[in-house]
């Protein structure tokens, strides 16, 4: 496995091609500064300055130059914010939202690492109106970021913020209802309940404790972050990524945030000895994936978990560009390295894949769950927000070091519902419209629960009858998923409705690594092969037909195809399974 500091160095050099003479970092596609990329590029350079031997002076000088430019932009809210919204159809910038909140910890960390004795920078930092220049207030996740920077400024005796005022800001997170800390789940909640921004926020509060916060909320934060650590361990999939859940799944900064959170948790000795061992493995599991996203044929580090060219925008969300999300990912890695990650020998892949059986079944508000055993992980959503996700089996991974996973929902390039492997209903036999239940809103009738070591839920789904225009029929949808030694078994039923059904399988065809996935349609299902890896889907029952649509779909992981398998006989229950090499 490549060393963490080598990955950081390669990523920094890939971005350095787009560093301007004035110290701002430009995005390689849009040729302009985007959001907070300059500040995090500076922090990465500062970490390398202390670790790069003969090149340390070069990285230090670069870090100081970038720091000065990033501070100038952050300190002056009258300047137009950097680009923050992007149109994939015309490769144009569509928005300039103020994201200065995100620059503050990177600026302060860079300052303390390479310029702490610079009197000019000390004066400029002390003059910044905090939180006046920032957009968000507690309990926003944005506020958690600038608060981390403000704590460092307080430690450097450059801030007028009092300890009591800082404690009051933290208290708002504990008092939040729709936005704030859910102490029982160990989860930071905001609109859509994104797993990514729960991780993001707790990573920053973990770093706050690592940086010495000792105010009146320290004990409460420690307890919350310990519960949250266990949630993050449970939501990490066997390939090192994080279970889907609303926006920003499949981003490399999420991998970096896991490395930082798990490393910081070990520094703080959160939880039990077993939690600490799991956190070590979790950090290396995330890094195993993180290190893979240098694009072939170029030195460019990808901000998304695929290797396709950045101008294709596959897997990007509208607020994503290379110019800020790649440095953010590398910035989290830099923070972890600074806290000691990479000082020990990496575990073998066989150790990463030897995961003890574990079940997470969350009810309200997330209605999400995961199953783990050995090298297999599966994530289930019982009531997904269809802005970003489907319900059902949303993630299925087969261990570290692999490419061929069935992760994150896919969608046709023209739009339409999100698709994950699962049941589709037809209102008549043959090649009629197959409506995926996963892509429709689910109204829970019975919550997500652990059942015999698996996960199960019951919901109601309104399905439009294709042959009757706008007429809708409400189906009951029962789903149970269980782990096997090499995959999963799934039972999906529509009690009271026996009819024509299909299994839809969106699959990753091209992630930009050179080879593409081959599909073999079988009498019992379909087999997918990528290099030496294979995954087989098997369906119980007599098949009418199977068809492969290799183009026209994408997911956060790359370009996708879709296999449709139609059963010949009307049924009210679909049994399917997945196995892997």
């Amino acid at each position: 496995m490549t060393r963490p500091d080598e990955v950081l160095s390669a990523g920094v050099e890939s971005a350095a091609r787009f560093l301007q003479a004035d110290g701002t970092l430009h995005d390689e596609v849009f040729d302009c500064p985007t959001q907070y990329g300059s500040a995090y590029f500076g922090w990465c350079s500062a970490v390398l300055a202390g670790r790069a031997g003969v090149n340390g002076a070069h990285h230090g000088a670069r870090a100081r130059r970038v720091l000065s430019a990033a501070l100038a932009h952050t300190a002056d809210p009258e300047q137009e914010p950097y680009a923050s919204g992007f149109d994939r159809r015309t490769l144009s910038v569509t928005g300039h939202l103020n994201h200065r909140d995100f620059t503050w910890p990177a600026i302060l960390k860079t300052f303390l690492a390479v310029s702490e004795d610079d009197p000019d920078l000390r004066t400029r930092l002390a003059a910044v109106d905090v939180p006046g220049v920032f957009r968000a207030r507690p309990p926003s996740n944005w506020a958690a970021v600038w608060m981390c920077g403000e704590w460092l400024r307080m430690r450097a005796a450059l801030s007028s913020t009092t300890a009591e005022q800082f404690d009051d800001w933290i208290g708002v997170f504990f008092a939040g209802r729709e936005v704030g800390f859910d102490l029982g789940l160990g989860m930071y909640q905001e609109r859509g309940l994104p797993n990514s921004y729960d991780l993001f926020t707790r990573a920053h509060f973990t770093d706050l404790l690592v940086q010495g916060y000792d105010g009146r909320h320290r004990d409460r934060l420690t307890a919350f972050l310990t519960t949250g650590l266990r949630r993050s361990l449970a939501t990490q999939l066997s390939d090192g990524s994080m279970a889907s859940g609303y926006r920003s799944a499949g981003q490399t900064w999420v991998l970096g945030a896991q490395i930082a959170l798990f490393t910081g948790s070990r520094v703080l000795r959160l939880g039990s000895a077993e939690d600490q061992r799991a956190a070590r493995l979790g950090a290396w599991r995330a890094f195993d994936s993180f290190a893979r996203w240098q694009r072939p044929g170029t030195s460019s580090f990808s901000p998304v978990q695929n290797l396709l060219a950045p101008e294709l925008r596959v897997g990007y969300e509208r607020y994503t560009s290379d110019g800020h999300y790649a440095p953010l990912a590398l910035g989290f890695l830099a923070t972890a390295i600074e806290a000691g990650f990479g000082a020990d020998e990496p575990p073998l892949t066989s150790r990463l894949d030897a995961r003890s059986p574990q079940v997470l079944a969350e009810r309200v508000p997330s209605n999400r769950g995961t199953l783990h055993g050995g090298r297999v992980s599966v994530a289930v959503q019982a009531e997904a927000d269809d802005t970003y996700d489907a319900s059902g089996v949303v993630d299925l991974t087969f261990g570290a070091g692999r490419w061929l996973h069935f992760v994150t929902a896919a969608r046709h390039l023209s739009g339409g519902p999100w698709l994950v492997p699962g049941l589709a209903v037809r209102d008549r036999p043959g090649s009629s419209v197959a409506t995926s239940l996963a892509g429709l809103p689910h109204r829970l009738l019975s919550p997500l629960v652990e059942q015999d070591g698996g996960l199960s839920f019951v919901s109601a789904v309104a399905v439009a009858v294709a042959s009757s225009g706008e007429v809708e029929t409400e189906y009951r949808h029962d789903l149970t998923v269980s782990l096997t030694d090499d995959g999963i078994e799934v039972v999906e039923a529509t009690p009271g409705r026996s009819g024509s059904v299909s299994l839809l399988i969106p699959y990753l065809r091209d992630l930009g690594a050179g080879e593409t996935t081959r599909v073999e349609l079988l009498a019992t299902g379909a087999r997918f092969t990528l290099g030496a890896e294979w995954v087989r889907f098997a369906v119980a029952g007599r098949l009418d037909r199977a068809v492969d649509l290799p183009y026209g779909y994408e997911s956060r992981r790359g370009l996708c195809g879709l296999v449709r398998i139609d059963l010949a006989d009307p049924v009210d229950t679909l049994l399917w399974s997945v196995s892997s090499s």
Side-chain angles (χ1 to χ4, degrees):
M1 191 182 295
T2 310
R3 286 173 30 210
D5 56 348
E6 292 174 341
V7 172
L8 178 63
S9 179
V12 166
E13 290 310 311
S14 76
R17 298 173 295 155
F18 307 102
L19 183 63
Q20 308 300 300
D22 65 357
T24 60
L25 184 71
H26 278 205
D27 177 82
E28 65 177 281
V29 172
F30 300 100
D31 193 24
C32 64
T34 60
Q35 294 188 20
Y36 34 84
S38 298
Y40 283 90
F41 179 82
W43 167 232
C44 293
S45 298
V47 171
L48 290 174
R51 297 172 178 272
V54 295
N55 291 322
H58 165 71
H59 288 294
R62 179 189 281 169
R64 285 185 285 273
R65 177 159 58 101
V66 174
L67 169 62
S68 182
L71 177 56
H73 183 264
T74 292
D76 183 5
E78 297 303 315
Q79 288 191 44
E80 181 181 50
Y82 291 151
S84 62
F86 311 95
D87 185 347
R88 66 180 292 177
R89 295 167 298 183
T90 59
L91 292 183
S92 54
V93 174
T94 59
H96 292 266
L97 192 63
N98 181 5
H99 282 77
R100 287 175 171 86
D101 307 56
F102 292 86
T103 66
W104 206 223
I107 285 173
L108 267 296
K109 286 184 176 188
T110 305
F111 164 73
L112 294 173
V114 298
S115 298
E116 187 173 9
D117 296 329
D118 186 316
D120 176 61
L121 281 172
R122 293 184 69 87
T123 299
R124 291 168 62 190
L125 282 166
V128 175
D129 175 22
V130 173
V133 300
F134 300 130
R135 181 171 178 261
R137 299 291 180 269
S140 165
N141 80 74
W142 290 28
V145 187
W146 65 252
M147 285 167 57
C148 279
E150 185 60 7
W151 173 254
L152 294 174
R153 190 172 76 142
M154 292 165 65
R155 282 184 51 197
L158 297 174
S159 174
S160 60
T161 300
T162 65
E164 181 179 9
Q165 184 179 12
F166 196 87
D167 281 340
D168 288 344
W169 290 337
I170 294 177
V172 177
F173 285 85
F174 284 101
R177 299 195 181 278
E178 293 185 1
V179 177
F181 295 158
D182 184 313
L183 303 184
L185 290 178
M187 180 183 188
Y188 169 78
Q189 298 182 93
E190 62 173 58
R191 180 179 59 85
L193 302 176
N195 281 345
S196 56
Y197 285 93
D198 159 52
L199 170 72
F200 181 82
T201 305
R202 286 187 290 105
H204 280 91
F205 275 105
T206 299
D207 192 50
L208 183 66
L209 293 189
V210 170
Q211 299 301 329
Y213 169 74
D214 57 356
R216 69 174 185 262
H217 295 295
R218 184 177 178 86
D219 289 346
R220 296 178 77 193
L221 271 178
T222 299
F224 170 69
L225 293 173
T226 300
T227 306
L229 167 64
R230 292 167 183 151
R231 182 177 197 273
S232 284
L233 291 169
T235 54
Q236 184 185 49
L237 304 172
S238 64
D239 73 330
S241 63
M242 187 188 61
S244 295
Y246 209 64
R247 65 180 181 270
S248 290
Q251 306 280 353
T252 51
W253 71 255
V254 175
L255 297 169
Q258 288 182 100
I259 301 169
L261 181 135
F262 293 145
T263 301
S265 298
R266 294 185 68 208
V267 171
L268 297 170
R269 299 185 183 278
L270 297 183
S272 66
E274 179 54 37
D275 291 330
Q276 291 294 292
R277 286 190 290 270
R280 175 180 177 270
L281 291 175
W284 281 109
R285 195 178 287 118
F287 177 74
D288 180 69
S289 178
F290 188 101
R292 316 178 91 196
W293 306 113
Q294 290 293 126
R295 294 188 178 100
T298 172
S299 58
S300 179
F301 180 77
S302 177
V304 290
Q305 285 182 253
N306 68 62
L307 294 168
L308 296 163
E311 56 267 26
L312 296 181
R313 308 286 292 164
V314 177
Y316 289 64
E317 295 175 57
R318 59 182 175 80
Y319 48 80
T320 311
S321 82
D322 290 44
H324 59 281
Y325 264 18
L328 177 62
L330 293 163
F332 277 121
L333 177 61
T335 294
I337 290 172
E338 193 73 357
F341 177 69
D344 58 340
E345 285 296 315
L348 298 173
T349 298
S350 59
R351 182 70 184 94
L352 296 178
D353 284 352
R355 195 159 178 173
S356 300
Q358 183 181 14
V359 182
L360 172 70
E362 292 181 341
R363 298 193 179 186
V364 175
S366 77
N367 297 306
R368 297 174 188 151
T370 53
L371 297 172
H372 307 284
R375 63 180 177 85
V376 179
S377 293
V378 60
V380 174
Q381 295 199 62
E383 196 177 30
D385 186 313
D386 63 0
T387 305
Y388 288 97
D389 278 313
S391 298
V393 178
V394 292
D395 297 302
L396 177 58
T397 62
F398 298 100
R402 295 167 180 261
W403 299 106
L404 187 54
H405 305 288
F406 290 76
V407 285
T408 78
R411 203 175 205 172
H412 196 271
L413 295 175
S414 64
W418 293 105
L419 298 169
V420 296
L423 172 66
V425 296
R426 293 174 283 141
D427 60 355
R428 62 181 184 274
S431 57
S432 57
V433 174
T435 301
S436 168
L437 296 189
L440 300 174
H442 282 54
R443 178 172 59 85
L444 279 183
L445 303 176
S446 177
L448 182 72
V449 295
E450 179 183 352
Q451 180 174 308
D452 299 326
L455 292 170
S456 180
F457 69 84
V458 179
S459 60
V461 184
V463 179
V465 179
S467 61
S468 305
E470 298 300 318
V471 176
E472 286 190 343
T473 300
E474 187 168 82
Y475 293 94
R476 174 174 153 175
H477 180 212
D478 297 11
L479 183 144
T480 299
V481 55
S482 306
L483 286 182
T484 62
D485 289 340
D486 58 357
I488 61 171
E489 290 182 345
V490 182
V491 180
E492 293 190 77
T494 53
R497 184 270 183 194
S498 181
S500 299
V501 301
S502 303
L503 175 65
L504 298 183
I505 310 171
Y507 65 92
L508 179 62
R509 185 181 62 82
D510 185 2
L511 55 80
E515 289 189 89
T516 57
T517 302
R518 302 189 305 277
V519 179
E520 181 183 3
L521 301 176
L522 308 172
T524 56
R527 177 184 167 107
F528 303 88
T529 305
L530 180 61
E533 301 174 43
W534 61 263
V535 176
R536 184 169 65 88
F537 280 70
V539 185
R542 190 167 60 94
L543 306 189
D544 177 31
R545 68 164 192 160
V547 60
D548 174 28
L549 305 171
Y551 300 103
Y553 296 85
E554 67 175 351
S555 74
R556 296 164 173 136
R557 291 292 188 93
L559 299 172
C560 297
L562 179 71
V563 166
R564 168 176 165 164
I565 300 172
D566 295 342
L567 269 70
D569 304 313
V571 296
D572 64 359
T573 301
L574 177 68
L575 289 80
W576 54 280
S577 62
V578 188
S579 58
S580 171
S581 58

